[in-house]
Amino acid sequence: MAAAGTLLVTGASGGIGRAVAARFLDAGWNVALLARRAEALQALAEGRPGALALPCDVTREAEVEAAFAAALERFGRLDVLFNNAGIFPPSGPIDELELADWQRAVDVNLTGMFLAARAAFRIMRRQSPRGGRIINNGSISAHAPRPGSVGYTATKHAVTGLTRTLALDGRPFDIACGQIDIGNALTDMAEKMTRGVPQADGSVRVEPVMDVAAVVDAVETMARMPAGANVLFLTVMATGMPFVGRG
């Protein structure tokens, strides 16, 4: 039976990326799995004929290009990129952020997304039938910062610019681009929310979280839109978290 489509997920070894990849594999998609942790990718791919584990550092151009080429060789086309890999650098005021930590955030959260989007765009522009969909994982920090989050927030604001530009530049080639902005999905990265995190008023408070399945539902909705429609921006967040009115 033919696959429902082909998806490539960056940051597929854990958290949201892994959950999205698993859902699409269960739904009969071919899924290329990109992340640095090879063992975690192999564990996810084991026993799933539609999965392709591709250990890859998204900050390294040659590795990204090789991974996308391998996915294309295996599956023949690329329908959707979930551009998901990201990190949260150390928190604190800007004068306490080391240049190396800033650069790492830029390398992963922005340059990594650029490299993956560029590789996907190149394939989608030239394949037949032409076109595809790129879904960038932004953050509610693409709209409003948390205290002490200059590295993360600045890169996620930049992702919004990437999304808007790809949505425009992709039009002649039937390539849609949208962005999902996620708040407090319960993954390893967000577990600290359940123990208390700094607020804009200087307090430390526990924040509500949501099941990661709600995020997967939203990504699936975006990915399954018909070719003539696009979700440009979608925000999915824990209902009671301090985003509306933050600060």
Side-chain angles (χ1 to χ4, degrees):
M1 188 172 73
T6 298
L7 168 73
L8 188 148
V9 180
T10 66
S13 60
I16 291 167
R18 183 183 182 88
V20 167
R23 170 76 65 83
F24 278 74
L25 284 166
D26 290 344
W29 287 60
N30 294 322
V31 182
L33 310 166
L34 272 66
R36 290 179 298 164
R37 295 187 293 158
E39 290 184 3
L41 294 183
Q42 292 294 348
L44 178 57
E46 187 175 359
R48 299 175 184 265
L52 177 63
L54 295 168
C56 173
D57 184 338
V58 296
T59 70
R60 299 182 180 274
E61 180 181 19
E63 292 187 19
V64 172
E65 293 294 327
F68 275 77
L72 183 61
E73 182 178 3
R74 168 75 175 272
F75 299 126
R77 66 177 288 109
L78 177 60
D79 297 297
V80 180
L81 165 65
F82 182 40
N83 210 1
N84 167 72
I87 61 168
F88 200 106
S91 299
I94 190 170
D95 60 327
E96 296 178 7
L97 183 65
E98 297 290 338
L99 177 59
D101 292 325
W102 164 266
Q103 191 62 63
R104 181 64 180 161
V106 172
D107 288 346
V108 177
N109 296 355
L110 184 55
T111 302
M113 282 211 170
F114 160 77
L115 290 173
R118 186 181 67 172
F121 197 101
R122 183 181 294 123
I123 291 170
M124 293 172 178
R125 178 178 176 177
R126 292 167 174 82
Q127 64 191 0
S128 181
R130 186 177 67 180
R133 191 176 304 275
I134 296 169
I135 302 171
N136 292 329
N137 187 347
S139 168
I140 61 169
S141 289
H143 303 275
R146 287 187 176 277
S149 66
V150 63
Y152 188 76
T153 297
T155 54
K156 290 302 186 177
H157 273 65
V159 169
T160 297
L162 178 67
T163 298
R164 292 185 186 278
T165 305
L166 292 176
L168 177 60
D169 290 350
R171 287 178 189 171
F173 310 110
D174 302 319
I175 299 170
C177 183
Q179 180 169 314
I180 184 166
D181 295 317
I182 301 162
N184 289 19
L186 186 54
T187 63
D188 290 344
M189 184 180 289
E191 188 274 335
K192 61 186 177 183
M193 306 294 177
T194 66
R195 294 180 278 110
V197 290
Q199 305 295 313
D201 63 2
S203 64
V204 175
R205 301 178 196 168
V206 171
E207 293 189 10
V209 294
M210 63 179 172
D211 193 296
V212 73
V215 177
V216 181
D217 290 343
V219 173
E220 190 170 19
T221 295
M222 295 175 75
R224 291 182 179 275
M225 294 294 289
N230 184 39
V231 177
L232 183 61
F233 291 99
L234 185 155
T235 299
V236 57
M237 52 178 272
T239 303
M241 68 172 294
F243 171 48
V244 177
R246 181 186 287 187

